[in-house]
């Protein structure tokens, strides 16, 4: 995607937008070998070779942390052999390659983190950190106390028993019940399989919290950058803040 050079330079973490303009007018920037001194010039950071003071600009060098409200009907892998839509296609205007932290099923929606910071992603996804993930599950019909207790205590799945979970009924209608399920494991289709194991039929599954981070006001399909506070508290504050939700403080990471 073509964008103004000063925007590309600031997104790459080289300088602020204004400072980047100065760097351009000073003749320190080249695009595909040609010096650029005008401010209106556009380039494609993914395709063009951009240098500042002779050094190549690598847009991916800047750490980026994204919170996406994933819609149903998208896969969280970066390529899909079946050609289904991919979550990164929703990140319009983001010039940096990012990857999802963990996964959500094609039919699951809600809070998905994406980043280009492999170390941060590994810390969050590592089972040792036991990051809580909260899901809102709409199931068919009524839910018995005994089913809740079984989910809470752990159910037997084909890859072993699940760890204790926190489960609560949040809403009920004539046809459906909404339950909140908080787990810290991240096994394949875990919540769906837990529900199946206690004979609950899942109609809708949405992740609403990841560690200290709540989904908040984002509309389905929209994304935002995490704040520096959110980035650090996710990895460092998880144990202390278990059960709490933290919202943005400070300027967003760009
Ligand atoms: N549990 C599931 O069953 N699916 C998800 O996508 C996430 C958790």
């Amino acid at each position: 995607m073509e964008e103004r050079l000063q925007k590309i330079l600031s997104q790459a973490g080289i300088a602020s937008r204004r400072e980047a303009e100065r760097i351009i007018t000073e003749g320190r920037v080249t695009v595909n070998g040609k010096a650029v001194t005008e401010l209106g010039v556009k380039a494609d950071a993914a395709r063009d070779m951009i240098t500042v003071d002779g050094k190549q600009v690598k847009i991916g060098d800047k750490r980026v942390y994204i919170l996406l409200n994933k819609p149903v009907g998208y896969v969280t892998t970066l390529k899909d052999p079946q050609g289904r839509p991919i979550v990164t296609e929703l990140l319009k205007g983001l010039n940096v390659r990012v990857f999802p932290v963990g996964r959500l099923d094609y039919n699951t929606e809600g809070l998905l983190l994406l980043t280009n910071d492999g170390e941060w992603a590994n810390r969050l996804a590592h089972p040792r950190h036991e990051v809580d993930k909260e899901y809102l599950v709409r199931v068919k019909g009524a839910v018995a106390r005994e089913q809740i207790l079984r989910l809470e205590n752990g159910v037997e799945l084909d890859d072993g028993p699940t760890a204790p979970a926190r489960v609560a009924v949040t809403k009920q209608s004539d046809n459906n019940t909404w339950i909140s399920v908080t787990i810290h494991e991240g096994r394949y289709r875990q919540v769906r399989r837990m529900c199946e194991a206690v004979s609950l039929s899942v109609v809708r599954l949405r992740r609403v919290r990841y560690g200290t981070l709540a989904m908040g006001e984002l509309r389905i399909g929209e994304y935002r950058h995490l704040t520096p506070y959110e980035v650090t508290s996710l990895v460092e504050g998880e144990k202390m803040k278990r059960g709490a939700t933290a919202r943005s403080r400070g300027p967003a990471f760009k």
Side-chain angles (χ1 to χ4, degrees), residues 103-105 108 135 187 189-193 205:
R103 65 187 161 222
L104 285 180
D105 302 333
T108 302
Y135 297 86
R187 295 197 237 158
R189 292 171 63 83
Q190 182 165 341
V191 176
R192 290 178 195 276
R193 290 192 295 139
L205 179 59

Side-chain angles (χ1 to χ4, degrees), residues 35-54:
V36 172
T37 52
E38 282 158 25
L39 291 180
V41 173
K42 289 185 171 177
D44 183 338
R47 278 207 317 258
D48 294 320
M49 163 84 162
I50 303 167
T51 67
V52 173
D53 297 332

Side-chain angles (χ1 to χ4, degrees), residues 4-243:
R4 284 174 188 266
L5 263 184
Q6 56 267 43
K7 185 167 178 197
I8 294 174
L9 297 187
S10 67
Q11 279 180 341
I14 305 252
S16 67
R17 209 60 85 82
R18 187 167 297 178
E19 178 71 5
E21 289 176 359
R22 194 172 59 79
I23 293 173
I24 295 167
T25 51
E26 284 174 347
R28 293 160 56 191
V29 179
T30 65
V31 177
N32 301 326
K34 273 197 202 142
V36 172
T37 52
E38 282 158 25
L39 291 180
V41 173
K42 289 185 171 177
D44 183 338
R47 278 207 317 258
D48 294 320
M49 163 84 162
I50 303 167
T51 67
V52 173
D53 297 332
K55 269 203 209 144
Q56 187 179 353
V57 172
K58 289 191 190 140
I59 200 95
D61 281 353
K62 180 106 167 63
R63 298 286 181 247
V64 170
Y65 306 89
I66 299 289
L67 164 56
L68 170 72
N69 189 353
K70 176 196 175 296
V72 164
Y74 281 79
V75 293
T76 54
T77 46
L78 294 180
K79 264 193 197 150
D80 184 52
Q82 295 173 47
R84 292 172 298 181
I86 289 166
V87 280
T88 46
E89 291 165 10
L90 295 162
L91 306 179
K92 303 264 180 315
L94 191 76
N95 250 333
V96 183
R97 252 178 245 146
V98 288
F99 54 86
V101 178
R103 65 187 161 222
L104 285 180
D105 302 333
Y106 180 73
N107 284 326
T108 302
E109 55 197 297
L111 195 162
L112 181 70
L113 296 171
L114 300 108
T115 185
N116 58 356
D117 184 343
E119 206 180 314
W120 184 79
N122 286 341
R123 280 179 71 182
L124 278 184
H126 197 288
R128 176 163 44 92
H129 290 283
E130 298 192 349
V131 177
D132 277 347
K133 274 90 60 178
E134 181 181 352
Y135 297 86
L136 273 190
V137 196
R138 174 146 65 110
V139 296
K140 275 193 198 149
V143 178
R145 174 93 198 112
E146 187 259 338
Q147 286 168 304
I148 300 277
L149 286 177
R150 282 178 64 200
L151 290 174
E152 279 181 337
N153 292 333
V155 291
E156 192 62 43
L157 300 181
D158 50 15
D159 52 357
T162 59
R166 289 203 298 279
V167 184
V169 172
T170 62
K171 193 173 146 188
Q172 218 151 4
S173 73
D174 289 346
N175 301 322
N176 293 135
T177 306
W178 284 254
I179 54 175
S180 147
V181 178
T182 303
I183 57 173
H184 63 253
E185 299 170 290
R187 295 197 237 158
Y188 177 66
R189 292 171 63 83
Q190 182 165 341
V191 176
R192 290 178 195 276
R193 290 192 295 139
M194 285 169 69
C195 289
E196 270 162 35
V198 299
S199 306
L200 290 176
S201 169
V202 174
V203 179
R204 188 175 176 190
L205 179 59
R206 184 154 48 107
R207 182 154 69 192
V208 292
R209 190 167 64 83
Y210 193 109
T212 51
L213 195 68
M215 183 70 254
E217 299 298 306
L218 272 186
R219 284 197 297 220
I220 293 174
E222 283 187 348
Y223 77 93
R224 70 172 174 86
H225 291 262
L226 298 187
T227 66
Y229 176 83
E230 289 171 328
V231 172
T232 2
S233 68
L234 261 172
V235 286
E236 282 172 11
E238 165 55 24
K239 290 283 178 199
M240 283 182 315
K241 296 192 184 94
R242 184 162 288 192

